[in-house]
Amino acid sequence: MDIDILRQIGVVLGSLAFLGVCWWAFSPKRKKRFEEDAKLPFADEQETLDKGARESDSTAEKKAGEKQEQGQDK
């Protein structure tokens, strides 16, 4: 067996592996899963923004409550 034959076998096997991965990645039955996975990085940002908004709302409510209490004490 010559080195050229081994190289040709390697090219054929590599091509088959590449085509198999492409078929797997672009298969219609996996489309929904990949779309959901693509949105995962943004889900953390949204949760962080929502949490920050809730914290700032509760902080604002506490400050408003403190000011109201101070006004009542006078």
Side-chain angles (χ1 to χ4, degrees), residues 1-38:
M1 197 177 273
D2 195 77
I3 188 72
D4 290 329
I5 293 175
L6 290 176
R7 288 180 181 163
Q8 292 172 354
I9 292 172
V11 168
V12 169
L13 291 177
S15 299
L16 289 174
F18 176 76
L19 291 173
V21 169
C22 288
W23 174 79
W24 175 80
F26 294 106
S27 176
K29 66 180 180 180
R30 290 180 181 82
K31 183 177 180 179
K32 183 179 177 184
R33 176 182 169 222
F34 287 144
E35 287 176 354
E36 291 172 0
D37 290 348

PDB file of all heavy atoms in Angstrom, residues 1-38:
ATOM      1  N   MET A   1       0.855  -1.171   0.000  1.00  0.00           N
ATOM      2  CA  MET A   1       0.000   0.000   0.000  1.00  0.00           C
ATOM      3  C   MET A   1       0.900   1.233   0.000  1.00  0.00           C
ATOM      4  O   MET A   1       1.739   1.418   0.856  1.00  0.00           O
ATOM      5  CB  MET A   1      -0.896  -0.013   1.237  1.00  0.00           C
ATOM      6  CG  MET A   1      -2.067   0.917   1.085  1.00  0.00           C
ATOM      7  SD  MET A   1      -3.200   0.873   2.479  1.00  0.00           S
ATOM      8  CE  MET A   1      -4.282  -0.441   2.043  1.00  0.00           C
ATOM      9  N   ASP A   2       0.656   2.078  -0.960  1.00  0.00           N
ATOM     10  CA  ASP A   2       1.447   3.295  -1.154  1.00  0.00           C
ATOM     11  C   ASP A   2       0.900   4.424  -0.275  1.00  0.00           C
ATOM     12  O   ASP A   2      -0.266   4.417   0.117  1.00  0.00           O
ATOM     13  CB  ASP A   2       1.357   3.664  -2.648  1.00  0.00           C
ATOM     14  CG  ASP A   2       2.397   4.677  -3.029  1.00  0.00           C
ATOM     15  OD1 ASP A   2       3.564   4.291  -3.178  1.00  0.00           O
ATOM     16  OD2 ASP A   2       2.017   5.854  -3.148  1.00  0.00           O
ATOM     17  N   ILE A   3       1.732   5.431   0.017  1.00  0.00           N
ATOM     18  CA  ILE A   3       1.315   6.559   0.858  1.00  0.00           C
ATOM     19  C   ILE A   3       0.192   7.365   0.192  1.00  0.00           C
ATOM     20  O   ILE A   3      -0.673   7.932   0.866  1.00  0.00           O
ATOM     21  CB  ILE A   3       2.529   7.455   1.210  1.00  0.00           C
ATOM     22  CG1 ILE A   3       2.162   8.522   2.243  1.00  0.00           C
ATOM     23  CG2 ILE A   3       3.054   8.167  -0.022  1.00  0.00           C
ATOM     24  CD1 ILE A   3       1.957   7.997   3.597  1.00  0.00           C
ATOM     25  N   ASP A   4       0.185   7.392  -1.135  1.00  0.00           N
ATOM     26  CA  ASP A   4      -0.864   8.124  -1.850  1.00  0.00           C
ATOM     27  C   ASP A   4      -2.237   7.490  -1.630  1.00  0.00           C
ATOM     28  O   ASP A   4      -3.243   8.189  -1.522  1.00  0.00           O
ATOM     29  CB  ASP A   4      -0.547   8.195  -3.350  1.00  0.00           C
ATOM     30  CG  ASP A   4       0.645   9.099  -3.642  1.00  0.00           C
ATOM     31  OD1 ASP A   4       0.839  10.074  -2.875  1.00  0.00           O
ATOM     32  OD2 ASP A   4       1.363   8.834  -4.623  1.00  0.00           O
ATOM     33  N   ILE A   5      -2.277   6.173  -1.570  1.00  0.00           N
ATOM     34  CA  ILE A   5      -3.550   5.488  -1.321  1.00  0.00           C
ATOM     35  C   ILE A   5      -4.050   5.810   0.082  1.00  0.00           C
ATOM     36  O   ILE A   5      -5.241   6.062   0.298  1.00  0.00           O
ATOM     37  CB  ILE A   5      -3.393   3.968  -1.531  1.00  0.00           C
ATOM     38  CG1 ILE A   5      -3.112   3.684  -3.016  1.00  0.00           C
ATOM     39  CG2 ILE A   5      -4.650   3.230  -1.081  1.00  0.00           C
ATOM     40  CD1 ILE A   5      -2.810   2.239  -3.328  1.00  0.00           C
ATOM     41  N   LEU A   6      -3.145   5.840   1.055  1.00  0.00           N
ATOM     42  CA  LEU A   6      -3.529   6.198   2.425  1.00  0.00           C
ATOM     43  C   LEU A   6      -4.056   7.641   2.490  1.00  0.00           C
ATOM     44  O   LEU A   6      -5.011   7.929   3.206  1.00  0.00           O
ATOM     45  CB  LEU A   6      -2.346   6.019   3.371  1.00  0.00           C
ATOM     46  CG  LEU A   6      -1.914   4.583   3.651  1.00  0.00           C
ATOM     47  CD1 LEU A   6      -0.672   4.566   4.523  1.00  0.00           C
ATOM     48  CD2 LEU A   6      -3.038   3.818   4.316  1.00  0.00           C
ATOM     49  N   ARG A   7      -3.431   8.531   1.758  1.00  0.00           N
ATOM     50  CA  ARG A   7      -3.894   9.925   1.713  1.00  0.00           C
ATOM     51  C   ARG A   7      -5.292  10.013   1.088  1.00  0.00           C
ATOM     52  O   ARG A   7      -6.141  10.769   1.558  1.00  0.00           O
ATOM     53  CB  ARG A   7      -2.911  10.786   0.929  1.00  0.00           C
ATOM     54  CG  ARG A   7      -1.626  11.027   1.653  1.00  0.00           C
ATOM     55  CD  ARG A   7      -0.689  11.882   0.848  1.00  0.00           C
ATOM     56  NE  ARG A   7       0.559  12.074   1.573  1.00  0.00           N
ATOM     57  CZ  ARG A   7       1.667  12.497   1.018  1.00  0.00           C
ATOM     58  NH1 ARG A   7       1.701  12.785  -0.279  1.00  0.00           N
ATOM     59  NH2 ARG A   7       2.753  12.660   1.744  1.00  0.00           N
ATOM     60  N   GLN A   8      -5.518   9.256   0.030  1.00  0.00           N
ATOM     61  CA  GLN A   8      -6.823   9.261  -0.615  1.00  0.00           C
ATOM     62  C   GLN A   8      -7.895   8.714   0.318  1.00  0.00           C
ATOM     63  O   GLN A   8      -9.006   9.244   0.379  1.00  0.00           O
ATOM     64  CB  GLN A   8      -6.779   8.446  -1.912  1.00  0.00           C
ATOM     65  CG  GLN A   8      -5.938   9.088  -2.989  1.00  0.00           C
ATOM     66  CD  GLN A   8      -5.742   8.188  -4.201  1.00  0.00           C
ATOM     67  OE1 GLN A   8      -6.153   7.030  -4.203  1.00  0.00           O
ATOM     68  NE2 GLN A   8      -5.094   8.720  -5.231  1.00  0.00           N
ATOM     69  N   ILE A   9      -7.568   7.664   1.043  1.00  0.00           N
ATOM     70  CA  ILE A   9      -8.519   7.105   2.011  1.00  0.00           C
ATOM     71  C   ILE A   9      -8.807   8.139   3.100  1.00  0.00           C
ATOM     72  O   ILE A   9      -9.955   8.316   3.520  1.00  0.00           O
ATOM     73  CB  ILE A   9      -7.980   5.786   2.603  1.00  0.00           C
ATOM     74  CG1 ILE A   9      -7.961   4.702   1.526  1.00  0.00           C
ATOM     75  CG2 ILE A   9      -8.810   5.348   3.803  1.00  0.00           C
ATOM     76  CD1 ILE A   9      -7.270   3.424   1.940  1.00  0.00           C
ATOM     77  N   GLY A  10      -7.779   8.844   3.541  1.00  0.00           N
ATOM     78  CA  GLY A  10      -7.958   9.889   4.554  1.00  0.00           C
ATOM     79  C   GLY A  10      -8.853  11.011   4.065  1.00  0.00           C
ATOM     80  O   GLY A  10      -9.708  11.511   4.799  1.00  0.00           O
ATOM     81  N   VAL A  11      -8.666  11.402   2.813  1.00  0.00           N
ATOM     82  CA  VAL A  11      -9.503  12.461   2.234  1.00  0.00           C
ATOM     83  C   VAL A  11     -10.951  12.003   2.145  1.00  0.00           C
ATOM     84  O   VAL A  11     -11.879  12.754   2.480  1.00  0.00           O
ATOM     85  CB  VAL A  11      -8.964  12.890   0.845  1.00  0.00           C
ATOM     86  CG1 VAL A  11      -9.970  13.757   0.115  1.00  0.00           C
ATOM     87  CG2 VAL A  11      -7.639  13.613   0.989  1.00  0.00           C
ATOM     88  N   VAL A  12     -11.166  10.766   1.702  1.00  0.00           N
ATOM     89  CA  VAL A  12     -12.529  10.240   1.573  1.00  0.00           C
ATOM     90  C   VAL A  12     -13.189  10.144   2.949  1.00  0.00           C
ATOM     91  O   VAL A  12     -14.340  10.573   3.131  1.00  0.00           O
ATOM     92  CB  VAL A  12     -12.524   8.864   0.861  1.00  0.00           C
ATOM     93  CG1 VAL A  12     -13.884   8.189   0.959  1.00  0.00           C
ATOM     94  CG2 VAL A  12     -12.110   9.022  -0.596  1.00  0.00           C
ATOM     95  N   LEU A  13     -12.475   9.627   3.947  1.00  0.00           N
ATOM     96  CA  LEU A  13     -13.032   9.517   5.296  1.00  0.00           C
ATOM     97  C   LEU A  13     -13.300  10.903   5.901  1.00  0.00           C
ATOM     98  O   LEU A  13     -14.328  11.112   6.544  1.00  0.00           O
ATOM     99  CB  LEU A  13     -12.109   8.709   6.198  1.00  0.00           C
ATOM    100  CG  LEU A  13     -11.990   7.222   5.885  1.00  0.00           C
ATOM    101  CD1 LEU A  13     -10.980   6.564   6.810  1.00  0.00           C
ATOM    102  CD2 LEU A  13     -13.346   6.550   5.995  1.00  0.00           C
ATOM    103  N   GLY A  14     -12.400  11.830   5.683  1.00  0.00           N
ATOM    104  CA  GLY A  14     -12.602  13.200   6.174  1.00  0.00           C
ATOM    105  C   GLY A  14     -13.803  13.862   5.518  1.00  0.00           C
ATOM    106  O   GLY A  14     -14.580  14.557   6.178  1.00  0.00           O
ATOM    107  N   SER A  15     -13.954  13.635   4.228  1.00  0.00           N
ATOM    108  CA  SER A  15     -15.106  14.194   3.507  1.00  0.00           C
ATOM    109  C   SER A  15     -16.411  13.594   4.009  1.00  0.00           C
ATOM    110  O   SER A  15     -17.406  14.308   4.187  1.00  0.00           O
ATOM    111  CB  SER A  15     -14.974  13.937   2.003  1.00  0.00           C
ATOM    112  OG  SER A  15     -13.825  14.562   1.506  1.00  0.00           O
ATOM    113  N   LEU A  16     -16.407  12.289   4.232  1.00  0.00           N
ATOM    114  CA  LEU A  16     -17.612  11.641   4.757  1.00  0.00           C
ATOM    115  C   LEU A  16     -17.949  12.158   6.157  1.00  0.00           C
ATOM    116  O   LEU A  16     -19.128  12.395   6.463  1.00  0.00           O
ATOM    117  CB  LEU A  16     -17.443  10.125   4.778  1.00  0.00           C
ATOM    118  CG  LEU A  16     -17.442   9.427   3.412  1.00  0.00           C
ATOM    119  CD1 LEU A  16     -17.123   7.945   3.574  1.00  0.00           C
ATOM    120  CD2 LEU A  16     -18.779   9.628   2.715  1.00  0.00           C
ATOM    121  N   ALA A  17     -16.940  12.352   6.986  1.00  0.00           N
ATOM    122  CA  ALA A  17     -17.179  12.888   8.323  1.00  0.00           C
ATOM    123  C   ALA A  17     -17.737  14.306   8.241  1.00  0.00           C
ATOM    124  O   ALA A  17     -18.685  14.663   8.955  1.00  0.00           O
ATOM    125  CB  ALA A  17     -15.885  12.873   9.139  1.00  0.00           C
ATOM    126  N   PHE A  18     -17.186  15.128   7.364  1.00  0.00           N
ATOM    127  CA  PHE A  18     -17.675  16.493   7.185  1.00  0.00           C
ATOM    128  C   PHE A  18     -19.120  16.500   6.706  1.00  0.00           C
ATOM    129  O   PHE A  18     -19.958  17.248   7.235  1.00  0.00           O
ATOM    130  CB  PHE A  18     -16.789  17.242   6.187  1.00  0.00           C
ATOM    131  CG  PHE A  18     -17.275  18.618   5.887  1.00  0.00           C
ATOM    132  CD1 PHE A  18     -17.098  19.659   6.795  1.00  0.00           C
ATOM    133  CD2 PHE A  18     -17.925  18.896   4.694  1.00  0.00           C
ATOM    134  CE1 PHE A  18     -17.549  20.932   6.517  1.00  0.00           C
ATOM    135  CE2 PHE A  18     -18.378  20.164   4.407  1.00  0.00           C
ATOM    136  CZ  PHE A  18     -18.193  21.185   5.329  1.00  0.00           C
ATOM    137  N   LEU A  19     -19.438  15.691   5.742  1.00  0.00           N
ATOM    138  CA  LEU A  19     -20.806  15.622   5.240  1.00  0.00           C
ATOM    139  C   LEU A  19     -21.768  15.109   6.312  1.00  0.00           C
ATOM    140  O   LEU A  19     -22.904  15.575   6.417  1.00  0.00           O
ATOM    141  CB  LEU A  19     -20.881  14.741   3.993  1.00  0.00           C
ATOM    142  CG  LEU A  19     -20.194  15.320   2.745  1.00  0.00           C
ATOM    143  CD1 LEU A  19     -20.194  14.288   1.625  1.00  0.00           C
ATOM    144  CD2 LEU A  19     -20.880  16.601   2.309  1.00  0.00           C
ATOM    145  N   GLY A  20     -21.310  14.151   7.117  1.00  0.00           N
ATOM    146  CA  GLY A  20     -22.144  13.644   8.210  1.00  0.00           C
ATOM    147  C   GLY A  20     -22.449  14.726   9.237  1.00  0.00           C
ATOM    148  O   GLY A  20     -23.581  14.854   9.709  1.00  0.00           O
ATOM    149  N   VAL A  21     -21.451  15.526   9.596  1.00  0.00           N
ATOM    150  CA  VAL A  21     -21.672  16.617  10.549  1.00  0.00           C
ATOM    151  C   VAL A  21     -22.601  17.664   9.956  1.00  0.00           C
ATOM    152  O   VAL A  21     -23.493  18.184  10.637  1.00  0.00           O
ATOM    153  CB  VAL A  21     -20.320  17.233  10.978  1.00  0.00           C
ATOM    154  CG1 VAL A  21     -20.523  18.520  11.740  1.00  0.00           C
ATOM    155  CG2 VAL A  21     -19.528  16.242  11.799  1.00  0.00           C
ATOM    156  N   CYS A  22     -22.418  17.992   8.697  1.00  0.00           N
ATOM    157  CA  CYS A  22     -23.319  18.954   8.029  1.00  0.00           C
ATOM    158  C   CYS A  22     -24.745  18.432   8.002  1.00  0.00           C
ATOM    159  O   CYS A  22     -25.687  19.177   8.270  1.00  0.00           O
ATOM    160  CB  CYS A  22     -22.843  19.249   6.613  1.00  0.00           C
ATOM    161  SG  CYS A  22     -21.365  20.260   6.560  1.00  0.00           S
ATOM    162  N   TRP A  23     -24.928  17.173   7.670  1.00  0.00           N
ATOM    163  CA  TRP A  23     -26.273  16.582   7.652  1.00  0.00           C
ATOM    164  C   TRP A  23     -26.890  16.641   9.036  1.00  0.00           C
ATOM    165  O   TRP A  23     -28.052  16.987   9.196  1.00  0.00           O
ATOM    166  CB  TRP A  23     -26.197  15.137   7.154  1.00  0.00           C
ATOM    167  CG  TRP A  23     -27.515  14.439   7.247  1.00  0.00           C
ATOM    168  CD1 TRP A  23     -28.578  14.558   6.393  1.00  0.00           C
ATOM    169  CD2 TRP A  23     -27.928  13.550   8.280  1.00  0.00           C
ATOM    170  NE1 TRP A  23     -29.616  13.781   6.831  1.00  0.00           N
ATOM    171  CE2 TRP A  23     -29.245  13.158   8.000  1.00  0.00           C
ATOM    172  CE3 TRP A  23     -27.313  13.050   9.409  1.00  0.00           C
ATOM    173  CZ2 TRP A  23     -29.941  12.279   8.813  1.00  0.00           C
ATOM    174  CZ3 TRP A  23     -28.003  12.183  10.222  1.00  0.00           C
ATOM    175  CH2 TRP A  23     -29.311  11.807   9.910  1.00  0.00           C
ATOM    176  N   TRP A  24     -26.113  16.320  10.063  1.00  0.00           N
ATOM    177  CA  TRP A  24     -26.620  16.342  11.438  1.00  0.00           C
ATOM    178  C   TRP A  24     -27.003  17.761  11.852  1.00  0.00           C
ATOM    179  O   TRP A  24     -28.039  17.987  12.453  1.00  0.00           O
ATOM    180  CB  TRP A  24     -25.548  15.789  12.378  1.00  0.00           C
ATOM    181  CG  TRP A  24     -25.921  15.873  13.809  1.00  0.00           C
ATOM    182  CD1 TRP A  24     -26.745  15.039  14.497  1.00  0.00           C
ATOM    183  CD2 TRP A  24     -25.491  16.863  14.745  1.00  0.00           C
ATOM    184  NE1 TRP A  24     -26.847  15.442  15.802  1.00  0.00           N
ATOM    185  CE2 TRP A  24     -26.089  16.564  15.980  1.00  0.00           C
ATOM    186  CE3 TRP A  24     -24.657  17.964  14.662  1.00  0.00           C
ATOM    187  CZ2 TRP A  24     -25.864  17.342  17.118  1.00  0.00           C
ATOM    188  CZ3 TRP A  24     -24.435  18.736  15.793  1.00  0.00           C
ATOM    189  CH2 TRP A  24     -25.049  18.412  16.995  1.00  0.00           C
ATOM    190  N   ALA A  25     -26.151  18.735  11.526  1.00  0.00           N
ATOM    191  CA  ALA A  25     -26.389  20.105  11.964  1.00  0.00           C
ATOM    192  C   ALA A  25     -27.569  20.752  11.252  1.00  0.00           C
ATOM    193  O   ALA A  25     -28.300  21.548  11.850  1.00  0.00           O
ATOM    194  CB  ALA A  25     -25.130  20.942  11.739  1.00  0.00           C
ATOM    195  N   PHE A  26     -27.766  20.438  10.004  1.00  0.00           N
ATOM    196  CA  PHE A  26     -28.820  21.089   9.227  1.00  0.00           C
ATOM    197  C   PHE A  26     -30.052  20.221   9.037  1.00  0.00           C
ATOM    198  O   PHE A  26     -30.924  20.539   8.229  1.00  0.00           O
ATOM    199  CB  PHE A  26     -28.270  21.529   7.869  1.00  0.00           C
ATOM    200  CG  PHE A  26     -27.236  22.606   7.986  1.00  0.00           C
ATOM    201  CD1 PHE A  26     -25.903  22.331   7.791  1.00  0.00           C
ATOM    202  CD2 PHE A  26     -27.599  23.896   8.343  1.00  0.00           C
ATOM    203  CE1 PHE A  26     -24.943  23.323   7.923  1.00  0.00           C
ATOM    204  CE2 PHE A  26     -26.653  24.896   8.479  1.00  0.00           C
ATOM    205  CZ  PHE A  26     -25.327  24.601   8.263  1.00  0.00           C
ATOM    206  N   SER A  27     -30.160  19.167   9.803  1.00  0.00           N
ATOM    207  CA  SER A  27     -31.329  18.302   9.734  1.00  0.00           C
ATOM    208  C   SER A  27     -32.560  19.073  10.221  1.00  0.00           C
ATOM    209  O   SER A  27     -32.517  19.736  11.256  1.00  0.00           O
ATOM    210  CB  SER A  27     -31.109  17.066  10.608  1.00  0.00           C
ATOM    211  OG  SER A  27     -32.253  16.267  10.615  1.00  0.00           O
ATOM    212  N   PRO A  28     -33.669  19.016   9.495  1.00  0.00           N
ATOM    213  CA  PRO A  28     -34.865  19.777   9.881  1.00  0.00           C
ATOM    214  C   PRO A  28     -35.418  19.431  11.263  1.00  0.00           C
ATOM    215  O   PRO A  28     -35.971  20.283  11.943  1.00  0.00           O
ATOM    216  CB  PRO A  28     -35.883  19.415   8.804  1.00  0.00           C
ATOM    217  CG  PRO A  28     -35.092  18.930   7.645  1.00  0.00           C
ATOM    218  CD  PRO A  28     -33.849  18.322   8.220  1.00  0.00           C
ATOM    219  N   LYS A  29     -35.250  18.192  11.709  1.00  0.00           N
ATOM    220  CA  LYS A  29     -35.821  17.842  13.003  1.00  0.00           C
ATOM    221  C   LYS A  29     -35.004  18.402  14.170  1.00  0.00           C
ATOM    222  O   LYS A  29     -35.471  18.386  15.297  1.00  0.00           O
ATOM    223  CB  LYS A  29     -35.985  16.327  13.136  1.00  0.00           C
ATOM    224  CG  LYS A  29     -34.719  15.538  13.165  1.00  0.00           C
ATOM    225  CD  LYS A  29     -35.041  14.063  13.293  1.00  0.00           C
ATOM    226  CE  LYS A  29     -33.787  13.222  13.329  1.00  0.00           C
ATOM    227  NZ  LYS A  29     -34.111  11.812  13.462  1.00  0.00           N
ATOM    228  N   ARG A  30     -33.809  18.927  13.921  1.00  0.00           N
ATOM    229  CA  ARG A  30     -33.000  19.541  14.976  1.00  0.00           C
ATOM    230  C   ARG A  30     -33.069  21.062  14.952  1.00  0.00           C
ATOM    231  O   ARG A  30     -32.472  21.725  15.791  1.00  0.00           O
ATOM    232  CB  ARG A  30     -31.551  19.087  14.837  1.00  0.00           C
ATOM    233  CG  ARG A  30     -31.371  17.633  15.194  1.00  0.00           C
ATOM    234  CD  ARG A  30     -29.926  17.205  15.045  1.00  0.00           C
ATOM    235  NE  ARG A  30     -29.766  15.801  15.358  1.00  0.00           N
ATOM    236  CZ  ARG A  30     -30.010  14.811  14.517  1.00  0.00           C
ATOM    237  NH1 ARG A  30     -30.460  15.067  13.322  1.00  0.00           N
ATOM    238  NH2 ARG A  30     -29.835  13.563  14.878  1.00  0.00           N
ATOM    239  N   LYS A  31     -33.779  21.621  14.023  1.00  0.00           N
ATOM    240  CA  LYS A  31     -33.827  23.075  13.854  1.00  0.00           C
ATOM    241  C   LYS A  31     -34.358  23.772  15.113  1.00  0.00           C
ATOM    242  O   LYS A  31     -33.782  24.761  15.572  1.00  0.00           O
ATOM    243  CB  LYS A  31     -34.699  23.433  12.651  1.00  0.00           C
ATOM    244  CG  LYS A  31     -34.734  24.910  12.366  1.00  0.00           C
ATOM    245  CD  LYS A  31     -35.550  25.211  11.133  1.00  0.00           C
ATOM    246  CE  LYS A  31     -35.548  26.709  10.880  1.00  0.00           C
ATOM    247  NZ  LYS A  31     -36.294  27.057   9.687  1.00  0.00           N
ATOM    248  N   LYS A  32     -35.434  23.274  15.683  1.00  0.00           N
ATOM    249  CA  LYS A  32     -36.039  23.910  16.856  1.00  0.00           C
ATOM    250  C   LYS A  32     -35.056  23.920  18.028  1.00  0.00           C
ATOM    251  O   LYS A  32     -34.915  24.932  18.718  1.00  0.00           O
ATOM    252  CB  LYS A  32     -37.317  23.179  17.243  1.00  0.00           C
ATOM    253  CG  LYS A  32     -38.035  23.815  18.398  1.00  0.00           C
ATOM    254  CD  LYS A  32     -39.310  23.069  18.736  1.00  0.00           C
ATOM    255  CE  LYS A  32     -39.975  23.699  19.948  1.00  0.00           C
ATOM    256  NZ  LYS A  32     -41.148  22.978  20.370  1.00  0.00           N
ATOM    257  N   ARG A  33     -34.381  22.802  18.253  1.00  0.00           N
ATOM    258  CA  ARG A  33     -33.424  22.727  19.367  1.00  0.00           C
ATOM    259  C   ARG A  33     -32.296  23.727  19.184  1.00  0.00           C
ATOM    260  O   ARG A  33     -31.893  24.406  20.124  1.00  0.00           O
ATOM    261  CB  ARG A  33     -32.850  21.321  19.456  1.00  0.00           C
ATOM    262  CG  ARG A  33     -31.791  21.230  20.523  1.00  0.00           C
ATOM    263  CD  ARG A  33     -31.169  19.861  20.596  1.00  0.00           C
ATOM    264  NE  ARG A  33     -30.007  19.957  21.455  1.00  0.00           N
ATOM    265  CZ  ARG A  33     -28.864  19.372  21.209  1.00  0.00           C
ATOM    266  NH1 ARG A  33     -28.722  18.629  20.142  1.00  0.00           N
ATOM    267  NH2 ARG A  33     -27.854  19.497  22.024  1.00  0.00           N
ATOM    268  N   PHE A  34     -31.766  23.835  17.971  1.00  0.00           N
ATOM    269  CA  PHE A  34     -30.659  24.753  17.731  1.00  0.00           C
ATOM    270  C   PHE A  34     -31.110  26.204  17.850  1.00  0.00           C
ATOM    271  O   PHE A  34     -30.348  27.059  18.291  1.00  0.00           O
ATOM    272  CB  PHE A  34     -30.033  24.492  16.368  1.00  0.00           C
ATOM    273  CG  PHE A  34     -29.212  23.226  16.315  1.00  0.00           C
ATOM    274  CD1 PHE A  34     -29.193  22.442  15.185  1.00  0.00           C
ATOM    275  CD2 PHE A  34     -28.464  22.820  17.401  1.00  0.00           C
ATOM    276  CE1 PHE A  34     -28.440  21.286  15.134  1.00  0.00           C
ATOM    277  CE2 PHE A  34     -27.702  21.665  17.367  1.00  0.00           C
ATOM    278  CZ  PHE A  34     -27.687  20.892  16.226  1.00  0.00           C
ATOM    279  N   GLU A  35     -32.344  26.513  17.469  1.00  0.00           N
ATOM    280  CA  GLU A  35     -32.852  27.872  17.641  1.00  0.00           C
ATOM    281  C   GLU A  35     -32.964  28.224  19.122  1.00  0.00           C
ATOM    282  O   GLU A  35     -32.635  29.333  19.529  1.00  0.00           O
ATOM    283  CB  GLU A  35     -34.201  28.025  16.950  1.00  0.00           C
ATOM    284  CG  GLU A  35     -34.100  28.074  15.441  1.00  0.00           C
ATOM    285  CD  GLU A  35     -35.448  28.134  14.761  1.00  0.00           C
ATOM    286  OE1 GLU A  35     -36.494  28.021  15.453  1.00  0.00           O
ATOM    287  OE2 GLU A  35     -35.471  28.290  13.532  1.00  0.00           O
ATOM    288  N   GLU A  36     -33.432  27.272  19.930  1.00  0.00           N
ATOM    289  CA  GLU A  36     -33.517  27.512  21.372  1.00  0.00           C
ATOM    290  C   GLU A  36     -32.123  27.666  21.977  1.00  0.00           C
ATOM    291  O   GLU A  36     -31.902  28.530  22.821  1.00  0.00           O
ATOM    292  CB  GLU A  36     -34.252  26.362  22.055  1.00  0.00           C
ATOM    293  CG  GLU A  36     -35.716  26.301  21.719  1.00  0.00           C
ATOM    294  CD  GLU A  36     -36.386  25.050  22.257  1.00  0.00           C
ATOM    295  OE1 GLU A  36     -35.699  24.214  22.892  1.00  0.00           O
ATOM    296  OE2 GLU A  36     -37.600  24.905  22.041  1.00  0.00           O
ATOM    297  N   ASP A  37     -31.189  26.839  21.543  1.00  0.00           N
ATOM    298  CA  ASP A  37     -29.820  26.926  22.054  1.00  0.00           C
ATOM    299  C   ASP A  37     -29.163  28.244  21.654  1.00  0.00           C
ATOM    300  O   ASP A  37     -28.342  28.778  22.403  1.00  0.00           O
ATOM    301  CB  ASP A  37     -28.983  25.757  21.544  1.00  0.00           C
ATOM    302  CG  ASP A  37     -29.386  24.431  22.168  1.00  0.00           C
ATOM    303  OD1 ASP A  37     -30.148  24.458  23.163  1.00  0.00           O
ATOM    304  OD2 ASP A  37     -28.958  23.373  21.656  1.00  0.00           O
ATOM    305  N   ALA A  38     -29.510  28.763  20.483  1.00  0.00           N
ATOM    306  CA  ALA A  38     -28.923  30.024  20.034  1.00  0.00           C
ATOM    307  C   ALA A  38     -29.374  31.194  20.902  1.00  0.00           C
ATOM    308  O   ALA A  38     -28.668  32.193  21.016  1.00  0.00           O
ATOM    309  CB  ALA A  38     -29.299  30.285  18.574  1.00  0.00           C
TER     310      ALA A  38
END
